[in-house]
Structures are given as C-alpha cells and as structure tokens.
Amino acid sequence: NKDILALQDMSVDEMQLILDTAKQMKQIIDRDIKKVPTLRGKSVINLFFESSTRTRTSFELAGKYLGADVVNITVSASSVTKGESLRDTLLTVEAMGVDAIIMRHEAEGSSQFASSIVKPVIINAGDGAHEHPTQGLLDMFTILQYKGQIQGLKVAIVGDILHSRVARSNIWGLKKMGAEVHVAGPQTLLPREMECMGIRVHNRIEDAIDQADVVNVLRIQKERQQKGLFPSLREYARIFGVNAKRLALAKEDALLMHPGPMNRGLEIAPDVAYSGQSAIQEQVKNGLAVRMAILFLVLMGGKNIETIG
Ligand code: CP
C-alpha cells in the first residue's frame, strides 16, 4: 500500500522499516542538520480539519528538513467554510499536482476514503477515534529508545480510551511487536471492542499500572464527551489521574508517556509530567524523526538515502 492509513493494516516488517529509518533521521536531527535535498521537487500538503500542534508542525518541519515544499491548508480559512465537500477538497488539491496529503479529519475512515479517490500518497494524521498511526509509531520508537525492545514489555494505556485514536494505533502496533498491553479507565470511557482486541482491560488504573514497564497516559477529550464526563473531572483526577503514588506501582524504571496535549492536573499530575521518568518531550522530538522517515519512504521508496547527511 502506498499510503499510511492504520497500524491495524501494517505488517511488522513495514513498521520495523519505518522505525529503523527513523533512527537514521534522528541522527540528522541530533546533528542539527536542517536541510538536505532528499525530497527536492516533492510537494506535501497538510490538510487538517481538526486542530494540531505536534503532528502538523512536525510533518511541516520533516518535509522542509528533507527539502520538500510543504503547504498548510488552514481549513477555517479554506473553501470548506463555503460548503466544499471533503471529496471536492481532495480533488482540488490533487489537481495542483501534490505528491502527498497529510490529513486529519473528525470522521473515522476519512483517510481510507481519501485514499480511494485521489492518487497522491495519503498519510493519516488522525481520523476520528479510529487511528493515529504516526503517533503509534513514534510511541514505539520512544519505547525502543529507552527499553531497547518491545517484545515482552507490559505497557499500560490509561485514560479516555473510548475517544482515543492514539490508543487504537498503540494497541495494534504494540501487540504486533509482542508487548503485553493493558488498558484502564472508567467504564464509561472503555469501549466494548477492547475485550476483543487481545488485551487486558481494567477498571482500576492501579491494576493496569502494577509492575508496568511503560505507562502511556491519554488525554481526557473533553471536546468529544457528548453527555458530559462521568465521572466528573474532579472525580476523574482523584480516581484515575496518574500521580507519583500511582506511578510508583509500576516498575522502578518505568517510562511515563503522554501523546499530548496534556490536561495537567486531570489525567496526569504536574509533578510526574516532567519528572525524570517522563519521556514526553522526547516523544515530540521522535515524532519529527518518525515523520521524516515516513515522508522519505513513501515519497522516495527508500531511494536517495545517500543525500541524507
Ligand atoms: N499527539 C498529537 O496528535 O498532538 P497534536 O494534536 O498536537 O497533533
């Protein structure tokens, strides 16, 4: 498949290739090289129907560092506000001859839909609560960086699982790479499908975190709570928030992760968010490396590697 749509559909070999290539990209970032000609002549469009800081900016920088032309479409200032459909927006962008479209949209399956109607490479930057494959890959890259392996690790994913595309991409990716995945959250934020995904599901956050190697905390997506949050925000923080006491249940060297943006004081306590165990800032840096790797692989098919540093 030319596109990056979901980790559910990606083979272990494909994931491994992206992770290995991201290692080379990280070396470029670490050497502070901010322009190579690898993707010269390629054009990339960031088409985000939902807000983003990390994903959109890192794809923009990834493309620019590799020499591509990158254009951001601000949907609120585009013809979508005049009623233009997703299909027509995609066809319009395709007519301009772009090579890749990085798309975030509130509808599950929107990237698959885009892939079926236009020729440029489609990279899913988040489709509703379905998947966020590049986040799943950068999370695995971060775990590999600190732990050296994924196979056999206990990974706890805690928080608003129901609305989380990050949770689903992490679950598919981590399971394929051999991790033991546990999820936890209030019953109201745990979708039934989790029971069928071959993972352990807990209502008590302590049971998921107990002896975990990695604790990945997910944001409470207040904007997607249709009937208000149950439990309330205050109850959530008290019963499910990850604080120093709860994190101490994990292994001593457990890694604390969060895809961002964080609700500090709600799903994660301020004192642990930037503690020595936190890999949150490194996740952001790794997002750039992984997205450089993805653009390189999908636009060049791995060719032209000699132009990189
Ligand atoms: N983690 C993540 O997708 O962050 P943004 O919404 O800022 O892109």
Side-chain angles (χ1 to χ4, degrees):
N1 195 329
K2 68 179 173 51
D3 302 317
I4 304 284
L5 302 178
L7 295 194
Q8 184 176 6
D9 308 329
M10 204 178 274
S11 69
V12 171
D13 285 350
E14 287 169 324
M15 290 193 289
Q16 196 61 59
L17 175 64
I18 293 170
L19 296 170
D20 290 344
T21 309
K23 243 185 189 175
Q24 289 174 274
M25 300 299 170
K26 184 95 185 270
Q27 285 166 11
I28 302 180
I29 296 167
D30 286 340
R31 283 158 54 204
D32 212 21
I33 298 171
K34 292 188 175 158
K35 189 61 88 180
V36 292
T38 315
L39 296 185
R40 194 157 55 199
K42 300 289 183 187
S43 54
V44 176
I45 293 250
N46 264 332
L47 180 61
F48 279 56
F49 292 81
E50 287 188 328
S51 53
S52 168
T53 298
R54 281 147 281 267
T55 313
R56 198 181 80 146
T57 310
S58 59
F59 264 119
E60 181 175 355
L61 288 175
K64 286 180 171 167
Y65 287 178
L66 292 175
D69 292 311
V70 185
V71 173
N72 293 305
I73 294 185
T74 306
V75 168
S76 60
S78 75
S79 289
V80 171
T81 60
K82 301 176 196 160
E84 189 160 46
S85 67
L86 174 59
R87 183 190 187 89
D88 288 343
T89 303
L90 288 163
L91 290 171
T92 301
V93 169
E94 180 181 42
M96 294 179 198
V98 299
D99 298 291
I101 300 171
I102 297 153
M103 194 173 103
R104 174 173 288 188
H105 195 280
E106 64 271 19
E108 282 100 38
S110 47
S111 299
Q112 184 74 47
F113 170 74
S115 168
S116 70
I117 59 168
V118 292
K119 287 200 186 68
V121 171
I122 301 294
I123 299 175
N124 180 7
D127 60 331
H130 175 227
E131 280 226 32
H132 190 352
T134 64
Q135 180 73 45
L137 287 160
L138 81 86
D139 288 343
M140 288 195 285
F141 185 86
T142 305
I143 294 171
L144 280 170
Q145 177 184 325
Y146 286 92
K147 298 288 173 194
Q149 61 178 72
I150 292 175
Q151 176 81 37
L153 294 186
K154 176 177 177 180
V155 181
I157 303 173
V158 299
D160 181 354
I161 311 290
L162 178 66
H163 300 103
S164 180
R165 48 197 174 215
V166 176
R168 286 169 184 77
S169 287
N170 264 269
I171 291 168
W172 288 118
L174 288 165
K175 264 171 44 69
K176 287 182 193 191
M177 300 296 267
E180 182 190 311
V181 182
H182 293 242
V183 299
Q187 194 64 43
T188 46
L189 297 177
L190 281 174
R192 289 230 176 97
E193 79 199 62
M194 290 293 140
E195 308 282 353
C196 314
M197 289 179 82
I199 57 173
R200 299 281 306 276
V201 183
H202 306 272
N203 288 126
R204 288 183 74 248
I205 194 168
E206 290 83 357
D207 294 338
I209 293 180
D210 183 45
Q211 289 304 303
D213 297 283
V214 178
V215 179
N216 196 353
V217 187
L218 301 180
R219 183 172 70 91
I220 298 301
Q221 301 194 29
K222 288 183 262 186
E223 74 279 18
R224 295 193 213 268
Q225 312 289 338
Q226 283 165 0
K227 295 179 188 150
L229 181 65
F230 180 80
S232 68
L233 296 181
R234 187 181 296 190
E235 284 168 334
Y236 185 92
R238 185 170 56 80
I239 304 169
F240 295 97
V242 174
N243 51 26
K245 192 172 163 205
R246 292 203 170 102
L247 189 58
L249 297 170
K251 286 191 181 149
E252 208 176 334
D253 62 347
L255 198 60
L256 177 70
M257 300 172 67
H258 191 304
M262 289 183 273
N263 296 303
R264 275 201 270 160
L266 177 53
E267 72 266 2
I268 189 163
D271 56 338
V272 295
Y274 291 115
S275 68
Q277 280 178 269
S278 169
I280 294 170
Q281 290 293 88
E282 197 65 15
Q283 282 174 270
V284 176
K285 190 171 174 184
N286 290 341
L288 184 55
V290 165
R291 287 166 182 135
M292 286 169 77
I294 287 171
L295 287 178
F296 170 64
L297 289 167
V298 298
L299 291 174
M300 298 306 296
K303 291 195 281 281
N304 230 8
I305 189 88
E306 66 283 357
T307 58
I308 298 175

